[in-house]
Amino acid sequence: FSSLPYLEGWSMGKRRVVKDIDVLHQKVQQAETSQISKLFSQLLINTINQREGAFGFAGNQVRIPRHVFTALIGGKWRFYANAVLIGQSGEKEVDSVEGCLSLPNESYQVKRYHWIALEHELPNGNLQVDMYKEMDAIIIQHELDHLNGILISDHGIKQGEN
Protein backbone atom coordinates (compact mmCIF):
# COMPACT_ATOMS: atom_id res chain seq x y z
CA PHE A 1 0.00 0.00 0.00
CA SER A 2 2.95 2.29 -0.44
CA SER A 3 1.03 3.95 -3.28
CA LEU A 4 -1.46 5.21 -0.68
CA PRO A 5 0.64 7.80 1.20
CA TYR A 6 -2.07 8.65 3.75
CA LEU A 7 -1.74 5.10 5.14
CA GLU A 8 1.96 5.48 5.99
CA GLY A 9 2.61 4.81 9.65
CA TRP A 10 -0.47 2.61 9.97
CA SER A 11 0.41 -0.44 11.99
CA MET A 12 -1.35 -3.21 13.84
CA GLY A 13 -0.84 -1.34 17.12
CA LYS A 14 -2.52 1.82 15.81
CA ARG A 15 -5.69 0.17 14.53
CA ARG A 16 -8.51 1.92 16.34
CA VAL A 17 -11.42 4.15 15.46
CA VAL A 18 -10.78 7.87 15.02
CA LYS A 19 -12.50 9.96 17.71
CA ASP A 20 -11.06 13.39 16.78
CA ILE A 21 -14.16 15.45 15.96
CA ASP A 22 -12.21 17.92 13.80
CA VAL A 23 -10.92 15.07 11.61
CA LEU A 24 -14.35 13.45 11.44
CA HIS A 25 -15.96 16.72 10.35
CA GLN A 26 -13.81 16.79 7.20
CA LYS A 27 -15.45 15.60 4.00
CA VAL A 28 -13.41 12.86 2.32
CA GLN A 29 -12.17 12.71 -1.27
CA GLN A 30 -13.56 10.37 -3.90
CA ALA A 31 -11.72 7.08 -4.32
CA GLU A 32 -9.86 6.74 -7.59
CA THR A 33 -11.11 3.75 -9.54
CA SER A 34 -7.60 2.33 -9.84
CA GLN A 35 -7.28 2.36 -6.03
CA ILE A 36 -10.65 0.88 -5.02
CA SER A 37 -9.43 -2.71 -4.62
CA LYS A 38 -6.48 -1.57 -2.49
CA LEU A 39 -8.74 0.67 -0.42
CA PHE A 40 -11.18 -2.20 0.18
CA SER A 41 -8.27 -4.41 1.27
CA GLN A 42 -7.00 -1.74 3.64
CA LEU A 43 -10.51 -1.18 5.00
CA LEU A 44 -10.75 -4.92 5.68
CA ILE A 45 -7.38 -4.95 7.45
CA ASN A 46 -8.20 -1.85 9.51
CA THR A 47 -11.58 -3.15 10.69
CA ILE A 48 -11.32 -6.94 10.93
CA ASN A 49 -10.50 -6.99 14.66
CA GLN A 50 -12.97 -4.23 15.55
CA ARG A 51 -16.20 -5.59 14.06
CA GLU A 52 -17.76 -7.21 17.11
CA GLY A 53 -20.86 -5.20 17.99
CA ALA A 54 -20.33 -2.82 15.04
CA PHE A 55 -22.56 -2.25 12.01
CA GLY A 56 -20.20 -0.22 9.83
CA PHE A 57 -16.98 1.72 9.39
CA ALA A 58 -16.44 4.74 7.18
CA GLY A 59 -12.97 5.15 5.71
CA ASN A 60 -12.29 8.32 7.69
CA GLN A 61 -13.06 6.48 10.95
CA VAL A 62 -10.10 4.17 10.31
CA ARG A 63 -7.64 6.69 8.83
CA ILE A 64 -8.57 6.19 5.17
CA PRO A 65 -9.68 9.65 3.97
CA ARG A 66 -11.40 8.35 0.85
CA HIS A 67 -15.04 7.74 0.00
CA VAL A 68 -15.16 4.08 1.04
CA PHE A 69 -17.03 2.26 3.77
CA THR A 70 -17.91 -1.22 4.92
CA ALA A 71 -21.25 -2.15 6.45
CA LEU A 72 -22.96 -5.21 7.87
CA ILE A 73 -25.79 -5.60 5.37
CA GLY A 74 -28.05 -8.63 5.36
CA GLY A 75 -25.69 -10.38 7.78
CA LYS A 76 -22.60 -9.92 5.56
CA TRP A 77 -19.86 -7.30 5.56
CA ARG A 78 -20.03 -5.41 2.26
CA PHE A 79 -17.73 -2.75 0.80
CA TYR A 80 -18.76 0.42 -1.01
CA ALA A 81 -16.85 3.11 -2.91
CA ASN A 82 -18.00 6.54 -4.08
CA ALA A 83 -21.55 5.80 -2.98
CA VAL A 84 -24.36 8.32 -3.42
CA LEU A 85 -28.05 8.26 -2.66
CA ILE A 86 -29.96 8.48 -5.93
CA GLY A 87 -33.40 7.87 -4.44
CA GLN A 88 -35.13 7.61 -1.09
CA SER A 89 -38.52 7.41 0.58
CA GLY A 90 -40.36 10.74 0.82
CA GLU A 91 -39.34 12.34 4.09
CA LYS A 92 -36.90 11.27 6.75
CA GLU A 93 -39.59 9.47 8.71
CA VAL A 94 -37.73 6.84 10.72
CA ASP A 95 -36.65 7.81 14.23
CA SER A 96 -33.47 5.80 14.67
CA VAL A 97 -31.59 5.71 17.98
CA GLU A 98 -27.97 5.32 16.96
CA GLY A 99 -24.60 4.98 18.59
CA CYS A 100 -21.24 5.54 16.96
CA LEU A 101 -17.83 4.01 17.56
CA SER A 102 -16.33 7.50 17.21
CA LEU A 103 -18.65 8.87 19.93
CA PRO A 104 -18.39 6.20 22.63
CA ASN A 105 -21.09 5.96 25.31
CA GLU A 106 -23.38 8.38 23.47
CA SER A 107 -26.55 7.78 21.50
CA TYR A 108 -28.71 10.10 19.43
CA GLN A 109 -32.17 9.95 17.93
CA VAL A 110 -31.73 10.66 14.23
CA LYS A 111 -34.29 10.98 11.41
CA ARG A 112 -33.55 8.61 8.52
CA TYR A 113 -35.17 7.52 5.28
CA HIS A 114 -37.08 4.22 5.41
CA TRP A 115 -35.62 3.08 2.07
CA ILE A 116 -32.82 4.29 -0.18
CA ALA A 117 -31.43 3.66 -3.65
CA LEU A 118 -27.63 3.68 -3.57
CA GLU A 119 -25.29 4.01 -6.53
CA HIS A 120 -21.73 2.89 -5.87
CA GLU A 121 -18.60 2.13 -7.84
CA LEU A 122 -17.18 -1.35 -8.21
CA PRO A 123 -13.43 -2.00 -8.41
CA ASN A 124 -13.70 -2.42 -12.20
CA GLY A 125 -15.17 1.09 -12.53
CA ASN A 126 -18.73 -0.05 -13.24
CA LEU A 127 -21.53 1.59 -11.30
CA GLN A 128 -24.08 -0.50 -9.45
CA VAL A 129 -27.43 0.53 -7.99
CA ASP A 130 -28.90 -1.29 -5.00
CA MET A 131 -32.03 -0.74 -2.95
CA TYR A 132 -31.98 -0.96 0.85
CA LYS A 133 -34.65 -0.60 3.49
CA GLU A 134 -35.08 -0.46 7.23
CA MET A 135 -31.93 -1.25 9.26
CA ASP A 136 -29.71 -1.70 6.19
CA ALA A 137 -30.78 1.74 4.91
CA ILE A 138 -30.11 3.29 8.33
CA ILE A 139 -26.60 1.82 8.52
CA ILE A 140 -25.70 3.08 5.03
CA GLN A 141 -27.06 6.57 5.74
CA HIS A 142 -24.97 6.69 8.94
CA GLU A 143 -21.77 5.74 7.04
CA LEU A 144 -22.49 8.20 4.22
CA ASP A 145 -22.89 10.95 6.82
CA HIS A 146 -19.41 10.11 8.13
CA LEU A 147 -17.90 10.42 4.66
CA ASN A 148 -19.56 13.82 4.29
CA GLY A 149 -18.16 15.04 7.61
CA ILE A 150 -21.47 14.72 9.47
CA LEU A 151 -21.83 13.01 12.84
CA ILE A 152 -25.02 11.88 14.54
CA SER A 153 -24.30 14.52 17.18
CA ASP A 154 -24.64 17.19 14.46
CA HIS A 155 -28.27 16.44 13.64
CA GLY A 156 -29.61 14.10 16.30
CA ILE A 157 -31.19 14.50 19.72
CA LYS A 158 -28.91 13.20 22.45
CA GLN A 159 -30.36 10.33 24.45
CA GLY A 160 -29.52 9.16 27.98
CA GLU A 161 -26.01 7.84 28.62
CA ASN A 162 -25.38 4.26 27.44
Side-chain angles (χ1 to χ4, degrees):
F1 297 106
S2 59
S3 63
L4 304 176
Y6 46 87
L7 296 176
E8 288 178 13
W10 187 263
S11 71
M12 296 298 278
K14 294 182 180 181
R15 207 168 359 129
R16 56 187 178 273
V17 175
V18 172
K19 295 179 179 96
D20 183 326
I21 302 301
D22 292 333
V23 170
L24 294 168
H25 274 129
Q26 295 175 20
K27 196 172 179 179
V28 298
Q29 297 176 10
Q30 292 292 101
E32 293 179 31
T33 300
S34 64
Q35 297 294 313
I36 291 174
S37 290
K38 288 181 181 181
L39 290 166
F40 284 174
S41 295
Q42 193 62 45
L43 194 54
L44 173 67
I45 291 166
N46 291 7
T47 63
I48 194 74
N49 293 323
Q50 301 184 81
R51 291 184 178 179
E52 187 174 337
F55 292 101
F57 295 89
N60 55 347
Q61 283 186 289
V62 290
R63 295 180 178 79
I64 302 172
R66 294 294 183 268
H67 205 285
V68 294
F69 70 93
T70 185
L72 186 60
I73 303 297
K76 295 181 182 176
W77 285 94
R78 301 186 186 271
F79 295 86
Y80 301 87
N82 301 326
V84 298
L85 291 184
I86 60 169
Q88 65 275 331
S89 54
E91 297 291 320
K92 290 185 176 183
E93 60 214 20
V94 177
D95 287 321
S96 173
V97 176
E98 302 176 25
C100 181
L101 297 171
S102 294
L103 301 169
N105 304 314
E106 296 182 18
S107 60
Y108 294 82
Q109 181 178 329
V110 180
K111 293 274 192 194
R112 299 288 188 194
Y113 296 113
H114 176 72
W115 65 264
I116 58 172
L118 185 77
E119 180 181 79
H120 57 99
E121 188 175 354
L122 302 173
N124 63 9
N126 291 340
L127 297 178
Q128 181 169 316
V129 176
D130 296 306
M131 301 286 291
Y132 299 97
K133 63 181 181 174
E134 300 167 349
M135 186 64 170
D136 292 344
I138 290 168
I139 293 167
I140 289 170
Q141 291 170 79
H142 180 106
E143 300 312 322
L144 288 175
D145 279 354
H146 270 297
L147 297 173
N148 288 308
I150 301 167
L151 300 172
I152 55 175
S153 57
D154 296 332
H155 62 105
I157 300 168
K158 189 168 185 176
Q159 304 296 291
E161 293 298 316
N162 293 345

